[in-house]
Structures are given as structure tokens and as C-alpha cells.
Amino acid sequence: MRKAQGSWEKRILKSLNSMCTELSIPLARKRPVGEQKELLNKWNEMGTDEPDLSLFRPVYAPKDFLEVLINLRNPNYENGDSLSFRTHLGLIQVPLKVKDIPELKELFVELGLTTGQLGIDDSTQVPPELFENEHVRIGQKVLAEQDSAAAQQYVRQGSPTALRAELWALILNISSQPEDILYYEQLKTNVIQHDLLVDSLIYKDVKLTASNDDYYFVFEDYLYQVLLCFSRDTSVLGHFAYNSASPPRSYIRGKLGIEEYAVFYPPNGVIPFHGFSMYGQKECEVKNQTECEFLISPDWWYAKQQCIDALAHPEGHVEYTVAPLCFLYHEPSKLYQMFREMYVRFFFRLHSISSHPSGIVSLCLLFETLLQTYLPQLFYHLREIGAQPLRISFKWMVRAFSGYLATDQLLLLWDRILGYNSLEILAVLAAAVFAFRAVNLMEVTSLAAAEAVLADLSTLKVMPLLQIFLFATVT
């Protein structure tokens, strides 16, 4: 796993260094005073700016990442002549242990048919006194007691809209203390003072994706603010201690290879990518021993030359994990804290190669295993027509369904991610979507037709799908 992650990071290094070299753009520079004043004045309306970003190309797309996962193999694993039938069906060939439906039922026991659920029992057809009123009362009590563990247990049945922002903050131990607000302002100051190459990648990513989304375009300014500050936040580096990935590094001029003179680029160690646009890159040789000169200050640094020694670590498409939070938090520093904590606890696992149960490799394998085991005819049919289910569902999971589900349904799904401290529910929902559309999918004869059947998920209701798949499936 680590070898594959390392190879993937080298590929991102080549792409980013190539773009930097071809465009002759510094990776980091200090903004002139006039430019700093201009950015400060338009901080709350950055979405109105229309810079020419046509020369900036995506670092990678999810489909590229999927190809890397498909090619993963365990050199120590050999089935010999007794290769199982299932081994030949799925795209993921790494023999990781994933849960079956009985184990998932045990894990998600609170989602059972006999337990009240927001997303089902709060519909207009159900009298609120049967469940909703009491659930809200309990939620208010949990908040009054400020019990984080109780809040996590509580949101497994869904969070009332009016209480969700406070409940999530309680679960993640987020509070808007004066020092938190000051820290956010310091990050903002770093953005104002220094321009990074990744700023242009973030800007283009938002323009191409969230700003064109029917749900999220109104939050465009928030997205820029949060993501630009995120790129400067060195506290994010802490998550690499439990991440299989490693942050890109460089060295001060003349100090190449000396660890105490190493710096990270960008400061948070996370290079964003553009997601879904096709890109072609001109091959460009990048020398491994190029030195960079940096000016170091206590909390910040900027590059004075355009080349960097080591750039890697592909994690990104993060604007889609910020956007849903904009519905809950309107104070910039708290919005930022929530996004950062969600990212370092959960969403980084969707963009790095590991064997963790909530990692993207395990989620892909869990999805394929569920379909192969409980919907074998559908899986085999789609495989035979060249429409491998994972090629369709991967983009849903890698973005935690953000941008695909209606916002109210997405927040109900994320309630359960927080409640169970697990991303495995993403794979279950992906399988449940295929099960729900199985009749139509059995009629298709091409990948394009299968994608058309599954193109619009905005009308789906998350909780009924999960309950039917988990608790009304014969096992």
C-alpha cells in the first residue's frame, strides 16, 4: 500500500512540477503591497474576480486515481489454482477484510427498521408526536449537558435541522474561542501576504465545480476563504501521523538534504486537484536535486524561486466537502474549524491509499463485495456489457456523495458518518443505489446507458435506501 501511495505521489510531483516549469510561475511569492490591499478589499467577494486560469490544468482526476487502485496487487497473496469466481469479477483485487451484511447490521444497529429515524419518521405523513418531538427534546438535553459521546450516539438516528450545527461542533469538540478566531485571522493574513501556485488550482477548481452547482454556487466566496486559509494551516500536517501519504517537502537553498532546513509545500501538505476535467500534460523532465530559496519567518515562509525539490501528495477535490457545511455555519472561523476537523478525521481517507476500513480501497472493495454477494445477476450483467459498477460509483464515494445528493439528504448521511465514526456507510449507500435502480440497470446494454440511469441522485432518500438494503435484504 505504501509503495503504491509513493508511486502515486511521484506522479503528482511530475504533473505539478511540469506545470510550474512550463508556465514559469513561482510556487510561492510575496504579494506587492498594492495587491495585498486589493485582495483584502475584495475578501468577501472573491467570486466576482475572473482571472485567466486557462493555462492551469488539473493535477489529476478521480478516474486516474481509480486506475491506480485497480492495479493494486498483494505480492504475498497467491490463491494458486483455487481462484474464486469473485476474484475475477471485481476491479479491486486486494484481499482486504470487509464486512458482510450481517456484520454491517450489527455495526449500524441503530438504523434498524424498528428504530425511529430522521429522514423517515419526520416526514409529513408521520405525526411528529410519534418520534420527532421527543427526538428534538432529547437533542436539546444533550446540548444542554455538552456531552460529546452522547451527541455522537444521538446523531446515529439523525440530527434535527435546528440542532445539527451545534451537535456536530460538540461531537468534533469545536468551539469559537477568541484564540480560534485569532488563528483564523492569522491564516487570512498569510493568504493576503503570500500568493501560492495552489491558490490558482483552488480558484479554478471552485470555478469549474461548486460555482456551477445548483446547491452550492451561492457559497462561492466562503469556499475561497476556507480553502485558501486551509492551504496555509500547518496544523493540518498532524494528520500525516496516521495517514499513509506523506506531505511534499523542499529545502532551503544550500541546505539540500538537511532535515532541519526542510519545509512543506503547501504549508498544510495537501495539494488540491481539479476532479473531473480531462487533461493532457506535456512531458517535462524535472530534476530531483533542484534547490529552492525560501525566506523563513516564525509562522510562515514563501518561495523566492519557481522550482521545488519535492512535490507530491494528491489529496483534494475538497471544495465539495466544504460546501455542505456552509448551510450550517455562517461565521467564517467556525466554518473553517469544522471543515478542517472533518477533513483530518474523515475525508483525507478518500484520497490516500491505505488498508484502513474507512479508506477508499476498502470502501471500493466493500461496495463490490456487497453487489457481487447480494445482487450477483446485476453485477454480472453490468460487467458483461463493460459497465463495471465501481467505475460509476467511485466518484460518489470519493466525494462522500457531495454534489450528488440533495443537501438535506447529504447532511442526514453525514450525520451517520459522525455518529458511527466511519465512512463505510458510503459504500453501503452506493450499493443501495444500484439495488434501487436494479430493474432499469438490468435492461441497459452499454456503460453510457448505465451511467444515464444513475446520472441523477438528487431525488433519492438516503435513509429508506439504507434501511431496505441492510435490513430488508435476505442474507
Side-chain angles (χ1 to χ4, degrees), residues 86-103:
R86 188 180 303 168
T87 302
H88 295 287
L89 288 182
L91 293 176
I92 302 299
Q93 295 293 318
V94 182
L96 298 176
K97 175 69 172 72
V98 294
K99 295 179 177 68
D100 57 18
I101 282 190
E103 292 170 316

Side-chain angles (χ1 to χ4, degrees), residues 233-297:
D233 193 346
T234 55
S235 71
V236 177
L237 291 169
H239 90 284
F240 288 106
Y242 48 88
N243 186 351
S244 63
S246 55
R249 304 203 305 171
S250 187
Y251 298 89
I252 298 174
R253 176 179 290 279
K255 304 295 184 180
L256 188 65
I258 304 176
E259 287 301 310
E260 56 263 36
Y261 293 99
V263 292
F264 297 106
Y265 181 91
N268 70 344
V270 179
I271 296 175
F273 71 97
H274 282 302
F276 295 93
S277 47
M278 296 292 291
Y279 70 99
Q281 86 176 27
K282 179 181 176 182
E283 292 296 327
C284 179
E285 181 180 357
V286 182
K287 296 181 180 179
N288 290 330
Q289 299 300 319
T290 304
E291 294 184 353
C292 303
E293 182 179 354
F294 296 94
L295 181 64
I296 307 295
S297 64

Side-chain angles (χ1 to χ4, degrees), residues 402-423:
S402 181
Y404 296 102
L405 296 172
T407 304
D408 63 325
Q409 297 301 306
L410 181 70
L411 295 175
L412 287 168
L413 175 65
W414 286 14
D415 279 339
R416 277 70 182 189
I417 290 176
L418 283 163
Y420 290 98
N421 195 35
S422 170
L423 294 172

Side-chain angles (χ1 to χ4, degrees), residues 135-195:
H135 191 61
V136 171
R137 187 191 67 78
I138 296 172
Q140 292 168 338
K141 184 177 180 181
V142 168
L143 288 174
E145 295 179 357
Q146 286 294 290
D147 188 332
S148 180
Q152 186 172 25
Q153 179 69 32
Y154 174 82
V155 299
R156 293 182 178 188
Q157 292 175 262
S159 174
T161 302
L163 306 181
R164 181 175 281 121
E166 291 182 78
L167 285 166
W168 285 18
L170 179 58
I171 293 169
L172 297 176
N173 297 312
I174 298 297
S175 60
S176 290
Q177 300 298 323
E179 57 267 28
D180 298 318
I181 298 172
L182 178 61
Y183 186 74
Y184 174 78
E185 289 299 321
Q186 289 174 337
L187 294 175
K188 175 181 173 181
T189 299
N190 288 336
V191 175
I192 298 296
Q193 293 179 348
H194 302 92
D195 179 33

Side-chain angles (χ1 to χ4, degrees), residues 316-357:
H317 216 79
V318 290
E319 77 285 350
Y320 267 105
T321 55
V322 183
L325 299 175
C326 295
F327 283 96
L328 303 180
Y329 305 97
H330 307 295
E331 201 278 307
S333 66
K334 192 161 188 177
L335 170 63
Y336 176 75
Q337 290 180 72
M338 287 298 302
F339 162 68
R340 181 183 62 193
E341 196 63 26
M342 290 285 283
Y343 184 84
V344 300
R345 285 204 190 192
F346 300 109
F347 296 131
F348 79 91
R349 297 197 184 279
L350 300 176
H351 307 284
S352 54
I353 302 171
S354 75
S355 57
H356 192 278

